[in-house]
Amino acid sequence: MMEPLVDRPGPQIGRSSLGERMASCCSYRTLQAWLPILTWLPKYRLSWLQMDLIAGLTVGLTTVPQALAYAEVAGLPVQYGLYSAFMGGFIYTFLGTSKDVTLGPTAIMSLLCASYVGGDPVRAVLLSLICGTIQTAMALLRLGFLLDFISFPVIKGFTCAAAVTIGFGQVKNVLGLKDIPHEFFLQVYYTFYRIPETRIGDVVLGLLCLGLLVTLQWMKSTLEPPSEQEALLTRAAHSLVWGIATVRNALVVVAATFLAFSWNAFGSPVFTITGKTSQGLPPFRAPPLSETTPNGTSISFGEIIEDFGGGLAVIPFMGVLESIAIAKAFASQNDYRINANQELFAIGLTNIMGSFVSAYPVTGSFGRTAVNSQTGVCTPAGGIVTGVVVLLSLAFLMPAFYYIPKASLAAVIICAVAPLVDYRVVMQFWRIRKLDLVPFLITFLLSFWEVQYGIVGGVVVSGLMLLYNVARPSIKVCDHGVLVMELDSGLSFPSTEYLNTVLYTQALQASPPRSVVLDCHHVNTVDYTVVNELRDLLRQFKLRGVGLIFSGLQVLTDWVCSGLQVLTDWVCSGLQVLTDWVCSGLQVLTDWVCSGLQVLTDWVCSGLQVLTDWVCSGLQVLTDWVCSGLQVLTDWVCSGLQVLTDWVCSGLQVLTDWVCSGLQVLTDWVCSGLQVLTDWVCSDLQVLTDWVCSGLQVLTDWVCSDLQVLTDWVCSGLQVLTDWVCSGLQVLTDWVCSGLQVLTDWVCSDLQVLTDWVCSDLQVLTDWVCSDLQVLTDWVCSGLQVLTDWVCSDLQVLTDWVCSGLQVLTDWVCSGLQVLTDWVCSGLQVLTDWVCSGLQVLTDWVCSGLQVLTDWVCSDLQVLTDWVCSGLQVLTDWVCSGLQVLTDWVCSDLQVLTDWVCSGLQVLTDWVCSDLQVLTDWVCSGLQVLTDWVCSDLQVLTDWVCSDLQVLTDWVCSGLQVLTDWVCSGLQVLTDWVCSGLQVLTDWVCSGLQVLTDWVCSDLQVHEFTNTDEV
């Protein structure tokens, strides 16, 4: 940790010559007091550098969102918050005496600026210059003691009221309301009045940001420091949680900005955003001393000063008071000392230099100082890192600030000012001294009207309470025969009337009048008014014949007069010598500072140039490495996708061939089965026909005489035969239908299994591709996330489409086979019924014919038998030909269906392969384009960063040169002014001391009291 900083040398106790005092003023210790960096820089260690870098980066990430938010509080464009946030880090590194304090925009200072500048950036910058000048003058004149007249109750009343005002002022941004007045009471009224106009998006985002900030803050406050005995992972997790909670403001603002950008990109602007901001670094130029309004009216410097009014006293005092209070608190906590006047000088110079880069007044920030201390900062050099972070944000991130939602900034502000409302201090005032509540409440209540009225009212009330104690000193009265009155403090003109009243009441108005002894051991000051009043009291006591005795007063003699004369001569000669020495010393110091600034300017410029060249070369090497890596990655992804495409295509081709061969085998099996069935039916019918014909022939040759018996037997036999044929055909039909149904179910189940297998494989393939693309995406950059999501969604859509197509195809094939099975079964059923009915008709007709033939013609039986045989033969041939036609038709339809399914699968396979090939080519070309685009963008970014760094280097060098010239000229003017002023002051002091010496000596001669009883 940094060692205690050296304080400015104070007055030496004891006697020393004027030359020794002059030598001490020109010593290196005095230079260290004016430039505290010389105290710790020679002892700087590498371990300090690491801690300062971490602390500076952490504070920088906290500063950027807070600066943007505090600019909103000041009523200025958000970039002015960043303009005000970086100069303090650089100046305070050289001039600050506290290692923890960070200078920048704060909530209190932003609220005060809003009260006086009215959202005008020109006036805000000019106010920074004037405040810095006042603060610097106070530091040079050692007027820091004036801050002691602002009491703690006044400060707490103002901070509590300011926190309430700032916090409620951000409610309108959380609710998404616009055109709300700035006056507090009107703001409260119109905020509640216009609640129905609330924007839901802003409310939801604001509450989410508030909840996240409060949660992270609670996590940080309740997080216990890890012990050395805990595991490394535990300590790493602790550090991670602590880091996230520390930079919670930056995380919330970045997340909200990304969310707002996403909604705006999709055409749904649901959040109120910051809007357009100025890009790039602010120009280094002198602040304007006048202003021209939009209508062409010119406002002079004097008119602007009149408009500022009391703000020229309130803002510098509050800025210094806040910063010094913070510095003292952390100096006591971390065991080192600060120099209040040096802190005042650092703040003043920061505000002066900040006005050259368009900054508004700044002071020390309690929240960022706490973060700086907790992160383990070792020296003020951490402010340089913070300033660099802010400058980089200005140079590269300003376009992104366009999308920052105002609700997120409002949440940051509310969480930042909430700890300022300290309700516990009221109870402390009540317990310790109840009168302290009076200035506290007056400041608190009046600050809601106007901030300056609250501060002035509180200071006035505190001053009146202080003056009351001076005007009414404590007088202890004892009665020892004579009245003995003991005074507790010095006598000054406000207390003379009170002392006269006490003496008249206790001594002169008593009966009889009494003598008084005034114990003046505690009296250390007496002014002319008191002496004049005591003269009158002595006269009154003499008139009443009593005495007024002063105990403990020193009697002045001629020695005092001679001593005053010697002192006057010594002071005059010393002042003359001091004036000459100061003038020569200032001239030497001016020349030394100018030459030192010139050397420092040249060193900084050369260092920045070397740094710029190093950064540019490093960025170029990084760009080439990233481009080569992206090219290798692109080639690897393309080759992997090509292998994947070939594997998918080959798998689909094998699957297609397997389905087609299976369908072909199934078709051949069905056709062969139908052919066997047809041949079996035809052979049975042929055997039946031959048997009937032979039977009829035997019947014709063997019995003609017993024809009636034969006819009856034939009729019964034909009936039995008809029934047997019908039952056989019915069994055959049922068997064919059940076989076809089983075949249909088997084909449908196989197709369903095939469909599910293809869908699962495609799903696995899709998930594998998406996971590989996800890994590739995470490895390359977050920008490929959109491409990955799109490819994955397309693959998912393709997988779902293929699966749905296969499902539809399976369902269609199954439904077609089912329809075909039902049609074949119905056809066979119709055929069976037709054959049975035909056989039944034929049997009945044969029986009737035989009966007629038996009754009518027996001689022509041979002709009839031949006709019956030929008819049965024709019937058999017709049935066989019909079954053959049916078999051929079913086989041809199954063949067509098989060919159609195979061709469809082949087309689907070719389409999927072609789409995968197109997708592979598209992804490869896209990756190649992305690689080229990233490389070109990195190259452009590298060139742009190098050019910007070069511009920044030139800007810093030119600014430092301008600053050096300005400081040298200012120091020269200041040197001449101080020398002439010191000469005039010396002459005036000498003449005044001479007149005072003569007056004192003469007055003491006239009023000398040589007898204590007379006094």
Side-chain angles (χ1 to χ4, degrees), residues 487-491 519-526 552-553:
L487 301 175
D488 287 345
S489 60
L491 293 175
D519 187 356
C520 301
H521 285 91
H522 300 294
V523 176
N524 51 9
T525 58
V526 176
L553 281 178

Side-chain angles (χ1 to χ4, degrees), residues 162-389:
V164 174
T165 303
I166 294 170
F168 193 85
Q170 297 305 312
V171 173
K172 63 178 184 293
N173 290 328
V174 174
L175 298 178
L177 302 178
K178 297 181 180 179
D179 301 327
I180 300 294
H182 292 286
E183 292 78 6
F184 180 76
F185 298 105
L186 292 177
Q187 195 174 74
V188 173
Y189 171 76
Y190 280 103
T191 299
F192 286 103
Y193 178 76
R194 296 176 59 184
I195 280 182
E197 303 175 16
T198 298
R199 291 169 60 97
I200 301 300
D202 289 328
V203 173
V204 173
L205 181 62
L207 293 179
L208 285 176
C209 292
L210 278 173
L212 185 59
L213 287 172
V214 171
T215 302
L216 290 175
Q217 189 172 8
W218 174 81
M219 289 172 59
K220 183 179 179 181
S221 63
T222 57
L223 194 65
E224 297 181 356
S227 62
E228 295 294 335
Q229 290 77 19
E230 292 183 356
L232 180 61
L233 289 178
T234 303
R235 285 181 289 169
H238 177 279
S239 302
L240 178 62
V241 173
W242 185 88
I244 292 175
T246 301
V247 297
R248 58 186 179 275
N249 293 332
L251 293 178
V252 167
V253 171
V254 169
T257 302
F258 181 75
L259 184 63
F261 172 77
S262 301
W263 279 95
N264 282 22
F266 286 104
S268 301
V270 296
F271 307 118
T272 303
I273 59 177
T274 301
K276 186 177 181 181
T277 57
S278 299
Q279 299 184 13
L281 299 172
F284 189 88
R285 62 190 177 194
L289 300 180
S290 61
E291 183 183 10
T292 303
T293 59
N295 58 8
T297 304
S298 179
I299 303 176
S300 64
F301 179 74
E303 293 173 336
I304 296 177
I305 295 296
E306 291 178 2
D307 292 340
F308 286 155
L312 296 181
V314 173
I315 294 179
F317 270 85
M318 289 306 300
V320 173
L321 185 65
E322 185 176 3
S323 183
I324 292 181
I326 293 170
K328 286 183 177 179
F330 282 91
S332 175
Q333 176 181 333
N334 296 322
D335 194 21
Y336 61 87
R337 297 179 58 195
I338 66 163
N339 188 305
N341 278 307
Q342 184 64 26
E343 291 291 308
L344 184 56
F345 180 68
I347 297 172
L349 192 59
T350 297
N351 282 324
I352 291 175
M353 296 309 302
S355 66
F356 284 81
V357 290
S358 304
Y360 67 90
V362 300
T363 185
S365 169
F366 184 84
R368 296 193 295 273
T369 300
V371 171
N372 205 24
S373 177
Q374 292 170 3
T375 316
V377 69
C378 295
T379 67
I384 296 179
V385 181
T386 301
V388 171
V389 171

Side-chain angles (χ1 to χ4, degrees), residues 992-1013:
L993 284 175
Q994 187 63 43
V995 172
L996 180 64
T997 300
D998 298 338
W999 178 80
V1000 169
C1001 290
S1002 62
D1003 196 58
L1004 285 175
Q1005 190 67 35
V1006 172
H1007 297 288
E1008 180 180 4
F1009 303 110
T1010 58
N1011 193 327
T1012 304
D1013 292 336

Side-chain angles (χ1 to χ4, degrees), residues 908-964:
L908 179 64
T909 301
D910 296 340
W911 178 82
V912 171
C913 291
S914 62
D915 274 5
L916 284 176
Q917 187 63 41
V918 170
L919 180 63
T920 300
D921 297 338
W922 180 83
V923 170
C924 292
S925 61
L927 286 175
Q928 188 63 42
V929 170
L930 181 63
T931 300
D932 298 337
W933 176 78
V934 170
C935 292
S936 61
D937 274 7
L938 283 175
Q939 188 63 41
V940 171
L941 180 63
T942 300
D943 299 337
W944 179 70
V945 169
C946 292
S947 62
D948 273 8
L949 284 176
Q950 188 63 43
V951 170
L952 179 63
T953 301
D954 298 338
W955 176 80
V956 170
C957 292
S958 61
L960 286 175
Q961 189 62 43
V962 171
L963 178 63
T964 301

Side-chain angles (χ1 to χ4, degrees), residues 463-701:
L464 291 177
M465 294 172 62
L466 181 64
L467 291 176
Y468 180 81
N469 293 329
V470 174
R472 296 293 183 268
S474 176
I475 300 177
K476 183 179 180 181
V477 180
C478 299
D479 191 353
H480 298 286
V482 296
L483 293 177
V484 178
M485 296 185 180
E486 182 179 354
L487 301 175
D488 287 345
S489 60
L491 293 175
S492 55
F493 66 91
S495 61
T496 55
E497 186 64 29
Y498 177 69
L499 180 61
N500 285 340
T501 302
V502 172
L503 289 174
Y504 268 99
T505 302
Q506 299 287 338
L508 297 180
Q509 292 183 359
S511 181
R514 305 182 66 179
S515 297
V516 176
V517 176
L518 282 179
D519 187 356
C520 301
H521 285 91
H522 300 294
V523 176
N524 51 9
T525 58
V526 176
D527 58 25
Y528 179 78
T529 304
V530 174
V531 173
N532 194 37
E533 290 293 331
L534 291 177
R535 183 187 296 114
D536 293 339
L537 282 173
L538 285 170
R539 187 170 62 253
Q540 294 294 330
F541 271 83
K542 285 182 180 180
L543 290 176
R544 287 169 173 76
V546 293
L548 176 62
I549 300 174
F550 298 88
S551 173
L553 281 178
Q554 296 180 356
V555 181
L556 298 178
T557 61
D558 295 337
W559 176 81
V560 174
C561 295
S562 61
L564 285 175
Q565 186 62 45
V566 172
L567 179 64
T568 299
D569 298 337
W570 181 81
V571 168
C572 290
S573 61
L575 283 176
Q576 187 62 43
V577 174
L578 180 64
T579 300
D580 299 337
W581 176 83
V582 168
C583 292
S584 60
L586 284 175
Q587 188 61 44
V588 172
L589 179 64
T590 300
D591 298 337
W592 178 81
V593 169
C594 292
S595 60
L597 285 175
Q598 188 62 42
V599 171
L600 179 64
T601 301
D602 298 338
W603 179 78
V604 170
C605 292
S606 61
L608 285 175
Q609 188 62 43
V610 171
L611 179 63
T612 300
D613 298 337
W614 178 79
V615 170
C616 291
S617 60
L619 285 175
Q620 187 63 43
V621 171
L622 179 63
T623 300
D624 298 337
W625 178 80
V626 170
C627 290
S628 61
L630 285 176
Q631 187 63 44
V632 172
L633 179 63
T634 300
D635 297 338
W636 178 80
V637 170
C638 291
S639 61
L641 286 176
Q642 187 62 44
V643 171
L644 178 64
T645 301
D646 297 339
W647 179 80
V648 170
C649 291
S650 62
L652 287 176
Q653 187 63 43
V654 170
L655 179 64
T656 301
D657 296 339
W658 180 81
V659 171
C660 291
S661 61
L663 287 175
Q664 186 64 43
V665 170
L666 178 64
T667 300
D668 296 339
W669 180 81
V670 171
C671 292
S672 61
L674 288 176
Q675 186 65 43
V676 170
L677 179 63
T678 301
D679 296 339
W680 179 79
V681 171
C682 291
S683 62
D684 279 355
L685 287 176
Q686 187 63 43
V687 171
L688 179 63
T689 301
D690 295 340
W691 181 80
V692 171
C693 291
S694 63
L696 286 175
Q697 185 64 42
V698 170
L699 182 63
T700 301
D701 296 337

